[in-house]
Amino acid sequence: PLDDVMKHHSKAIAMLTGSKVHHRSFARWMDDIWLFGYDAGAARQAQMDLQAAALSIGLNLNYAKTDVLEGPEVAAQAKEIEHSAVDDALDNDTPDFGPLEALVDKIIDNPEKANRTSIKFAAQRMRKHGNRYRVQELITEAQRMPHAADAWSRLFKEVFTNDSLQDWYLEYVKSNWATHEWAIAYFGRIFPSSVKPRKPLLDYFDQAIRDANTGLPLLAVAAQRMGEWDRDEAGDAYRDAYRRAATPHARRVLAFAALKAGENRTTVKKWLSTDVENAPTLAMLESFGWNGPRVQADFAE
């Protein structure tokens, strides 16, 4: 009876790897069965048919692990299984990098449409296991994946030299690909506060601070980094930027950066007093003796 049910539904059943299903052997050695179709009711009916056939030979389907998935849930579940396969292969005395590298291949083949969750997963595993598979191609294609700049920036700073990354970054920000400031800011975090870069990158961040059109993500990175790399130049940039700043948020970022870089509290207090929105920030600083919040290590380095 179980073979008959499998034969009846064999055209709808497929392994996630895309391999051909042989209904007789499939029932004997596969733990999971995926049944695809366009009708959720039909999927439930097939489940009941399988359960009845299994019971007839003393087997039982686990209802707790049986679901009908629809829409985006299907893709999300498939991603979880794909990622689990990668971890299973890596979690051995002799790690098998094949599934991880296959995932990287998929990302590179279609970077614009690569799933952010998969990119983040792949980047994390590459960092954890010291895998550098096709990393030169990844940094070349990273401009096509602005939605995953945070994941790639952490990997690239571990793989490439600081000098080479400065050249890559400045080329990127001048290109037509640099359309998302969030990505520009995250790639800018590649450069740690503790290592002063060459003048071209200093100049880029300096101008980013002074430009009234710079958004908060990039302003925050540029202001914090410049305060560590060149306090004198940074102080001048903060004061210039304050005169141009159009929002309370921008003035708050500049105030925090200036305070950390050694600006006197009278000036910082004046900047924060301009906007009622920054009153809580001003009160916080006063209550803590004007010791600004510490920059998180993950952001700074």
Side-chain angles (χ1 to χ4, degrees), residues 2-114:
L2 185 58
D3 273 352
D4 291 340
V5 174
M6 295 299 293
K7 187 182 299 182
H8 178 71
H9 295 292
S10 63
K11 290 184 180 179
I13 297 171
M15 296 171 61
L16 292 180
T17 56
S19 58
K20 185 178 180 180
V21 175
H22 300 280
H23 69 272
R24 290 186 179 277
S25 59
F26 186 82
R28 293 191 176 96
W29 62 267
M30 279 298 294
D31 181 57
D32 293 327
I33 295 172
W34 282 68
L35 179 62
F36 297 98
Y38 297 98
D39 186 335
R44 278 297 186 201
Q45 182 59 55
Q47 177 190 344
M48 300 305 297
D49 290 345
L50 287 168
Q51 173 68 4
L55 285 173
S56 71
I57 55 174
L59 300 176
N60 190 50
L61 269 66
N62 188 335
Y63 277 102
K65 295 182 178 180
T66 304
D67 293 306
V68 171
L69 305 175
E70 299 180 78
E73 291 181 321
V74 179
Q77 185 66 27
K79 289 295 181 187
E80 287 186 17
I81 293 174
E82 180 180 41
H83 296 172
S84 296
V86 171
D87 277 338
D88 288 345
L90 294 174
D91 190 20
N92 293 299
D93 292 335
T94 304
D96 175 9
F97 290 104
L100 174 60
E101 293 175 357
L103 179 58
V104 172
D105 288 337
K106 287 176 61 177
I107 292 170
I108 292 175
D109 287 344
N110 198 353
E112 286 92 346
K113 295 184 178 181

Side-chain angles (χ1 to χ4, degrees), residues 22 46 50 53 119 133 137 152 157 179 195 200 230 237 245-246 264 274 290 297-298:
H22 300 280
L50 287 168
I119 293 174
Y133 180 68
E137 293 171 80
W152 292 138
K157 71 166 58 178
T179 56
V195 180
D230 189 333
N264 66 75
T274 302
W290 286 87
D298 180 65

Side-chain angles (χ1 to χ4, degrees), residues 109-281:
D109 287 344
N110 198 353
E112 286 92 346
K113 295 184 178 181
N115 180 273
R116 172 177 159 77
T117 301
S118 292
I119 293 174
K120 188 174 182 179
F121 177 88
Q124 287 175 337
R125 297 311 184 273
M126 291 176 76
R127 292 170 58 206
K128 179 180 179 180
H129 296 277
N131 184 278
R132 301 296 181 252
Y133 180 68
R134 299 185 72 179
V135 71
Q136 189 63 57
E137 293 171 80
L138 286 172
I139 197 170
T140 300
E141 297 297 334
Q143 60 190 6
R144 297 174 177 268
M145 296 177 273
H147 57 296
D150 53 337
W152 292 138
S153 64
R154 291 183 171 92
L155 175 65
F156 296 159
K157 71 166 58 178
E158 292 182 7
V159 176
F160 300 101
T161 66
N162 191 280
D163 278 351
S164 66
L165 287 171
Q166 289 178 53
D167 294 334
W168 172 83
Y169 181 72
L170 291 173
E171 183 179 343
Y172 163 68
V173 298
K174 294 175 184 176
S175 73
N176 292 328
W177 292 106
T179 56
H180 301 281
E181 193 175 278
W182 181 87
I184 297 172
Y186 249 108
F187 283 133
R189 287 177 56 180
I190 285 176
F191 309 105
S193 303
S194 57
V195 180
K196 186 175 181 177
R198 301 193 308 272
K199 190 174 185 301
L201 185 59
L202 284 169
D203 289 344
Y204 174 76
F205 277 168
D206 180 78
Q207 289 303 313
I209 296 170
R210 298 174 189 271
D211 187 347
N213 294 316
T214 298
L216 289 177
L218 181 56
L219 179 62
V221 174
Q224 188 276 326
R225 293 301 198 266
M226 281 296 295
E228 295 293 331
W229 293 337
D230 189 333
R231 284 197 170 192
D232 291 339
E233 186 64 30
D236 184 67
Y238 300 151
R239 289 186 285 273
D240 184 29
Y242 172 75
R243 291 191 291 269
R244 304 166 187 265
T247 68
H249 307 84
R251 286 187 278 273
R252 186 185 311 152
V253 169
L254 293 167
F256 276 132
L259 182 64
K260 182 69 168 59
E263 184 65 79
N264 66 75
R265 66 177 63 179
T266 301
T267 297
V268 175
K269 183 175 182 179
K270 176 184 176 182
W271 290 2
L272 291 172
S273 298
T274 302
D275 307 288
V276 66
E277 292 90 342
N278 287 332
T281 301

